[in-house]
């Protein structure tokens, strides 16, 4: 694996050619400034992108309407949920649903057994999230307004403080901060397997441009 960034970005999202990210950089008079950047996997090159392009990729076609209704655009994750619109979730479990035109319809807190959920990976009109303090992965149905499936538990070691997840075809990839690994979940059989192991905590993992990327405590890597 090859380290391509020596710091952890404020936010990172995949796009077809690699990934986009937000970072702090020293600007004029060494003052920190927020920059929007991209990494292209084929050329292994970094370049600037506009704020508009970044948030369009993150929130979808109705990004302008969505952005006007969120006070924090950086720490949340977003996912398109088929015909029902989109959802945004924050690390503390705050959850919001938007129509396809970007209208905020409902807000709530997503918890499981009194533990906050975080991260989001779409699955039809529903989505998957992780429950860090419950060592679980859950599937939530917006139509039913409840958790409909769970993998793992607070008393098992199937997951070890999962902090984020992503989806690629029929697999979920779950990042375990305490376990320092990424585990895969087969969405057809629900079998859980080790996918990647590291010597330090892993916070994000995703696939893009036929490559694998991971955010570890020491930076961003292409695997």
């Amino acid at each position: 694996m090859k380290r391509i960034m020596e710091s952890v970005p404020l936010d990172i999202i995949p796009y077809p050619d690699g990934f986009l990210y937000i970072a702090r950089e020293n600007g004029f008079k060494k003052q920190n400034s927020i920059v929007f950047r991209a990494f292209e996997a084929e050329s292994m090159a970094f370049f600037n992108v506009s704020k508009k392009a970044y948030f369009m990729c993150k929130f979808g076609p109705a990004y302008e309407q969505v952005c006007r209704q969120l006070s924090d655009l950086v720490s949340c994750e977003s996912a398109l949920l088929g015909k029902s619109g989109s959802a945004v979730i924050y690390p503390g479990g705050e959850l919001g649903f938007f129509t396809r035109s970007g209208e905020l319809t409902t807000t709530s807190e997503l918890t499981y057994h009194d533990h906050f959920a975080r991260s989001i990976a779409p699955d039809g009109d529903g989505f998957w999230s992780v429950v860090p303090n419950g060592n679980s992965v859950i599937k939530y149905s917006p139509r039913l307004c409840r958790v409909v499936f769970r993998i793992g538990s607070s008393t098992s070691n199937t997951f070890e403080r999962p902090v984020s997840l992503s989806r690629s075809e029929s697999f979920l990839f779950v990042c375990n901060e305490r376990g320092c690994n990424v585990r895969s979940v087969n969405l057809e059989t629900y079998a859980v397997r080790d996918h990647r192991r590291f010597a330090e905590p892993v916070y994000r993992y995703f696939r893009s441009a036929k490559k694998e990327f991971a955010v570890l405590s020491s930076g961003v890597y292409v695997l």
Side-chain angles (χ1 to χ4, degrees):
M1 64 189 218
K2 177 181 176 61
R3 185 163 64 175
I4 54 177
M5 292 176 59
E6 295 184 354
S7 59
V8 175
L10 299 175
D11 190 26
I12 186 168
I13 52 174
Y15 88 117
D17 295 328
F19 62 83
L20 308 178
Y21 68 97
I22 302 176
R24 287 193 179 96
E25 289 188 358
N26 287 332
F28 181 64
K29 294 183 179 179
K30 295 185 178 180
Q31 293 181 342
N32 283 337
S33 60
I34 301 298
V35 295
F36 296 82
R37 303 271 286 164
F39 174 80
E40 187 179 67
E42 183 176 355
S43 63
M44 298 288 284
F46 290 89
F47 55 91
N48 293 327
V49 295
S50 67
K51 182 187 298 186
K52 174 182 176 179
Y54 188 92
F55 290 123
M56 181 183 294
C57 183
K58 182 168 184 174
F59 297 115
Y63 77 97
E64 289 181 304
Q65 179 74 355
V66 173
C67 288
R68 282 196 290 267
Q69 298 170 88
L70 297 175
S71 58
D72 177 1
L73 303 176
V74 177
S75 64
C76 62
E77 291 187 39
S78 175
L80 299 178
L81 305 178
K83 295 180 180 179
S84 62
S86 64
V88 168
I89 190 168
Y90 286 89
E94 300 94 337
L95 179 65
F97 292 101
F98 296 84
T99 65
R100 295 178 68 182
S101 62
E103 179 186 355
L104 180 64
T105 57
T106 59
T107 60
S108 62
E109 286 186 343
L110 181 55
T111 62
Y112 187 74
H113 288 180
D114 297 323
H115 297 305
F116 290 122
R118 63 184 297 177
S119 197
I120 189 166
D123 190 346
D125 288 335
F127 61 86
W128 295 87
S129 290
V130 297
V131 185
N133 292 333
N135 288 341
S136 303
V137 171
I138 58 173
K139 184 177 181 181
Y140 184 82
S141 169
R143 181 178 64 85
L144 299 176
C145 298
R146 63 180 177 89
V147 174
V148 295
F149 200 82
R150 185 211 74 220
I151 307 171
S153 72
S154 58
T155 58
S156 75
N157 60 1
T158 303
F159 303 108
E160 300 169 277
R161 188 168 170 77
V163 291
S164 70
L165 79 172
S166 63
R167 183 180 177 184
S168 180
E169 298 177 343
S170 60
F171 286 88
L172 290 177
F173 295 96
V174 182
C175 297
N176 295 279
E177 181 183 33
R178 188 166 60 239
C180 299
N181 60 42
V182 176
R183 286 186 168 149
S184 66
V185 179
N186 186 321
L187 293 178
E188 296 177 354
T189 65
Y190 299 111
V192 180
R193 299 282 186 271
D194 272 349
H195 179 67
R196 292 279 189 174
R197 284 193 167 273
F198 304 98
E200 59 185 305
V202 52
Y203 300 112
R204 294 290 298 272
Y205 168 92
F206 56 88
R207 293 180 171 186
S208 180
K210 298 181 180 181
K211 295 184 183 295
E212 299 175 82
F213 299 92
V215 180
L216 308 182
S217 58
S218 60
V220 182
Y221 293 78
V222 58
L223 307 180

